[in-house]
Amino acid sequence: MTDISSQTTPNDAAGLPARAAALDLLTAALGARAGMDEGLNHPALAALDGRDRAFARALVMATLRHLGPIDAALQARVRKPPPDKVVQILRLGVAQAFVLKTPAHAAVTTSVDLVARDKNLQMFKGLVNAVLRGLLREPPALDDPDLLAPSWLAMRWRAAFGAEAAREIAAVIAQEPATDLSVKDPAQAEALAAALEAEVLPGGSLRTGRRGDIATWPGFAEGGWWVQDAAAAIPARLLGVQTGQTALDMCAAPGGKTLQLAAAGAEVAALDRSAVRLKRVAENLARQALTAEVVAADAATWPDKRRFDAVLLDAPCSATGTFRRHPDVLWAAKPSDVAGLAAVQSKLLDAAARRTKSGGRLVYCVCSLEPEEGEGQVTAFLGRTPDVALDPIAAGEGGAPAASVRPDGTLRILPQHLPGGLDGFYVARFRKA
Ligand SMILES: C[S@@+](CC[C@H](N)C(=O)[O-])C[C@H]1O[C@@H](n2cnc3c(N)ncnc32)[C@H](O)[C@@H]1O
């Protein structure tokens, strides 16, 4: 699994084609959910050399991580909104000048040149020049937590977690994350940490500030580790699977949690609705020399009759907790997404309960910060499912931060619960009667 945030961040000298590719990528990222992933496969980006490609990606990530404050700074200087494309060019210009610290003349000139490439936008060259030069004279504050999140999400987080916690969540948006790794063999963790200049986190994940191509890092070729956020690694550990136990990973792709369960010695069935995404699971298993039964099926209606000792439901969700590496989710998500996804999660939870053996464990998790997908989902599930009960999670278990443990023993992991950040998750563990 490659992680786009682990690329180098060059700060100047990339030319106009890199900026043009960044413009395409930013437009794709803001246009639709998963638009960033599609944009990353765009031919304009592929045509660039490695250094320019890294610049284009870094520029778009920097823009998305500061989009709220960038827009506030632009709105204060532009009375009538120009066409969308000019807005995107201005956003990229501000991110170059103030986040990537591109030399001022390069940030301004290339932004004006980008506008000039479109003959319908010639009349906006002066505006782009004037706005960027004005901002260079009076630099805007781009890390203001009150502006970093879209206002509808900030409002939701205030309502769910309180004003202070919501502000702390938003402050993490501007931070570029380190890379977290899960280790296949815990006995190798210390040696790999030394080789990768990494810190061993509670729970056993490694955290490294390394950048660049992960395929060249020590231990990658041998399949000693895979990229997985520290929070994302917690749910599978909480199943506590033993060698030879059966485990079902109901929404498995791209496979980080399947790898954890297989590495712990379980006989794993890895299910996902998407055959395309399952290819990643198969590739990841092969690289780690681990095995699992990989099945393309809808987990809600999978006709197989087996029940499992351990069931993991890492359900499809709004993914608002993943903004550290995917800041586009904040801007592409819509309020109506949450209700639609909550309905899918509830169907999948019922199916997960049916798949769990008597006495077996079920872990439900979502990488979402929205209560309807977490706390609300679990309350409703317990209300309609008499043969499951919460199996409370203790502080420290599986690496769970103490600050994340709720009174009912479920986890509400907020991005500020670990120094340096971790993804937002909700996790609940159940025992079937
Ligand atoms: C949050 S991702 C899973 C990430 C994965 N567990 C990991 O750790 O790498 C959710 C996955 O659910 C899959 N999915 C969505 N609806 C599904 C369904 N009804 N049945 C099975 N898989 C589904 C999606 O294709 C997606 O791969």
Side-chain angles (χ1 to χ4, degrees), residues 228 249-257 271-274 277 297-300 314-316 344 348 367:
Q228 186 173 35
D249 187 354
M250 288 179 70
C251 293
K257 299 178 186 68
L271 219 63
D272 202 281
R273 194 174 61 171
S274 162
R277 285 170 61 83
D298 183 331
D314 181 18
V344 175
L348 288 170
C367 53

Side-chain angles (χ1 to χ4, degrees), residues 362 364 378-379 381-382 385 387-393 406-411 426-432:
L362 162 61
Y364 169 75
V378 163
T379 305
F381 175 61
L382 287 169
T385 322
D387 58 347
V388 298
L390 275 178
D391 182 4
I393 302 159
R406 287 165 31 92
D408 64 358
T410 65
L411 301 181
Y426 177 81
V427 191
R429 182 173 59 191
F430 308 91
R431 180 76 74 177
K432 187 153 173 186

Side-chain angles (χ1 to χ4, degrees), residues 164-192:
E164 197 188 330
R167 231 170 161 259
E168 287 169 2
I169 297 173
V172 181
I173 295 173
Q175 297 167 14
E176 193 178 343
T179 300
D180 295 343
L181 312 173
S182 286
V183 176
K184 180 178 165 188
D185 175 4
Q188 298 297 317
E190 290 293 342
L192 281 169

Side-chain angles (χ1 to χ4, degrees), residues 122-280:
Q122 298 291 330
M123 69 279 252
F124 294 101
K125 285 192 319 193
L127 175 92
V128 169
N129 187 49
V131 168
L132 292 179
R133 286 191 189 284
L135 288 171
L136 284 162
R137 282 191 298 275
E138 287 173 61
L142 294 189
D143 288 344
D144 180 352
D146 291 330
L147 297 174
L148 281 165
S151 53
W152 71 277
L153 278 173
M155 241 161 65
R156 281 179 141 270
W157 298 342
R158 276 196 298 275
F161 313 120
E164 197 188 330
R167 231 170 161 259
E168 287 169 2
I169 297 173
V172 181
I173 295 173
Q175 297 167 14
E176 193 178 343
T179 300
D180 295 343
L181 312 173
S182 286
V183 176
K184 180 178 165 188
D185 175 4
Q188 298 297 317
E190 290 293 342
L192 281 169
L196 290 157
E197 296 127 2
E199 170 193 0
V200 183
L201 297 176
S205 294
L206 305 188
R207 173 161 289 185
T208 175
R210 275 180 171 242
R211 301 278 170 219
D213 184 359
I214 61 165
T216 63
W217 296 1
F220 179 87
E222 298 79 22
W225 49 262
W226 55 93
V227 174
Q228 186 173 35
D229 182 80
I234 293 171
R237 292 189 196 121
L238 295 174
L239 282 167
V241 289
Q242 308 292 322
T243 303
Q245 283 190 324
T246 57
L248 172 64
D249 187 354
M250 288 179 70
C251 293
K257 299 178 186 68
T258 295
L259 294 179
Q260 287 180 281
L261 295 169
E267 286 173 26
V268 187
L271 219 63
D272 202 281
R273 194 174 61 171
S274 162
V276 174
R277 285 170 61 83
L278 274 176
K279 283 194 194 134
R280 296 272 305 282

